[in-house]
């Protein structure tokens, strides 16, 4: 393990934890109300190992093959794997074989596979519904269920024995003010919790906008670059 890399990650993590603590204080929240999920996509399993040693409990991945391999290499670590990427229905069962929480559920077609994978693994799978905050003209090709369709999708998750509805996930729209989007998300989440009081997770905010997300009630922020540095160029 490279001592240099460890120092780099420790520094990035300390900065992010400080930002989270400051944002919580500014919003009158306790900083243990917010979990930092460190997004390790594009970075090696050795980084996950270092992060676990630094006290990181939650890591996020967005590509199935990479996540599958990395989680296997890190099977001895006590970290929770969040799947936050686009999901094909034919991969859903496989994702459920290693993910502890799938955050990017945005259509009913994924549920059968996720439930099957969870059943094979022999334990319930935590699910977040990814809600689209994009204006209609930008929503094309972007992930996320339209807020109007959220209730119906949530009911289908509740009806699946192997799936546990935990809350919502969202990504701020490209090129728009994230605060406005997260404010809207807070309203959506509040209505959602009236029907699903136990599904209080709100996963929102990334390296560039975590303060705004926390000020509008995020319980989980997903932070990559601010901890690990810039990702390699391939996308
Ligand atoms: C990559 C990714 C992140 C982390 O983004 P950073 O800007 O590196 O913090 C968060 N959420 C999702 C859905 C992602 O794909």
């Amino acid at each position: 393990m490279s001592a240099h890399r460890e120092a780099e990650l420790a520094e990035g993590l300390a900065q992010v934890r400080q930002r989270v603590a400051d944002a919580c204080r500014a919003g009158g929240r306790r900083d243990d109300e917010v979990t930092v999920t460190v997004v390790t996509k594009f970075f090696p399993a050795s980084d996950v190992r270092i992060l676990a040693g630094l006290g990181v409990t939650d890591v996020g991945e967005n590509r199935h093959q990479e996540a599958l391999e990395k989680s296997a290499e890190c099977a001895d670590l006590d970290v929770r794997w969040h799947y936050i990427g686009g999901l094909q229905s034919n991969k859903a069962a496989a994702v459920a074989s290693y993910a502890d929480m799938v955050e990017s559920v945005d259509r009913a077609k994924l549920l059968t596979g996720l439930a099957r994978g969870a059943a094979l693994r022999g334990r319930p799978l935590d699910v977040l519904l990814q809600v689209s905050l994009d204006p209609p003209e930008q929503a094309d090709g972007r992930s996320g269920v339209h807020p109007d369709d959220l209730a119906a999708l949530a009911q289908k998750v509740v009806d699946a024995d192997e799936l546990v509805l935990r809350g919502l996930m969202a990504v701020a729209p490209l090129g728009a003010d994230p605060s406005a989007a997260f404010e809207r998300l807070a309203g959506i989440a509040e209505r959602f919790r009236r029907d699903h009081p136990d599904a209080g997770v709100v996963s929102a905010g990334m390296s560039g906008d975590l303060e705004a997300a926390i000020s509008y009630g995020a319980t989980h922020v997903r932070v990559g670059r601010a901890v690990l540095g810039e990702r390699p160029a391939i996308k």
Side-chain angles (χ1 to χ4, degrees):
M1 185 194 294
S2 144
H4 171 68
R5 185 61 173 153
E6 181 168 3
E8 227 167 47
L9 295 185
E11 167 74 19
L13 193 60
Q15 282 175 7
V16 167
R17 285 177 173 155
Q18 188 61 51
R19 286 174 61 191
V20 169
D22 291 346
C24 285
R25 188 164 336 103
R29 305 180 62 193
R30 296 193 324 265
D31 51 9
D32 64 1
E33 290 175 34
V34 177
T35 300
V36 177
T37 301
V38 180
V39 179
T40 47
K41 66 191 186 197
F42 293 92
F43 289 98
S46 54
D47 281 355
V48 177
R49 197 162 286 283
I50 293 171
L51 290 165
L54 294 169
V56 169
T57 54
D58 294 79
V59 295
E61 290 285 334
N62 76 336
R63 296 187 304 175
H64 165 59
Q65 192 59 35
E66 178 184 343
L68 177 70
E69 288 164 17
K70 220 181 280 181
S71 60
E73 278 180 71
C74 294
D76 59 311
L77 301 180
D78 195 13
V79 292
R80 286 171 52 77
W81 294 85
H82 295 244
Y83 190 81
I84 62 173
L87 202 49
Q88 292 168 274
S89 49
N90 64 350
K91 299 277 166 58
V95 168
S97 73
Y98 57 81
D100 297 292
M101 177 180 271
V102 177
E103 301 198 6
S104 41
V105 174
D106 63 357
R107 57 198 192 281
K109 218 179 158 208
L110 300 170
L111 301 182
T112 319
L114 290 174
R116 184 155 39 85
L120 281 172
R121 187 169 164 185
R123 59 121 189 73
L125 175 69
D126 288 345
V127 162
L128 302 185
L129 302 183
Q130 181 173 355
V131 50
S132 171
L133 301 175
D134 292 328
E137 67 278 10
Q138 268 181 26
D140 262 18
R142 299 251 298 161
S143 315
V145 59
H146 189 282
D148 291 348
D149 301 328
L150 193 55
L153 184 58
Q155 190 55 50
K156 292 198 167 79
V157 174
V158 168
D159 290 342
D161 287 340
E162 300 85 356
L163 306 179
V164 186
L165 183 65
R166 293 292 186 197
L168 303 178
M169 182 270 242
V171 179
L174 297 168
D177 171 18
S179 289
F182 294 141
E183 182 175 16
R184 205 174 135 227
L185 176 64
I188 295 168
E190 192 193 326
R191 282 191 296 283
F192 184 76
R193 277 194 303 270
R194 270 181 235 151
D195 295 331
H196 304 283
D198 297 330
V201 172
V202 179
S203 171
M206 322 200 294
S207 292
D209 56 17
L210 67 88
E211 286 85 358
I214 290 172
S215 79
Y216 287 107
T219 63
H220 287 60
V221 292
R222 307 177 307 269
V223 183
R225 288 171 298 125
V227 174
L228 290 133
E230 290 304 321
R231 287 181 281 277
I234 25 138
K235 258 270 156 168

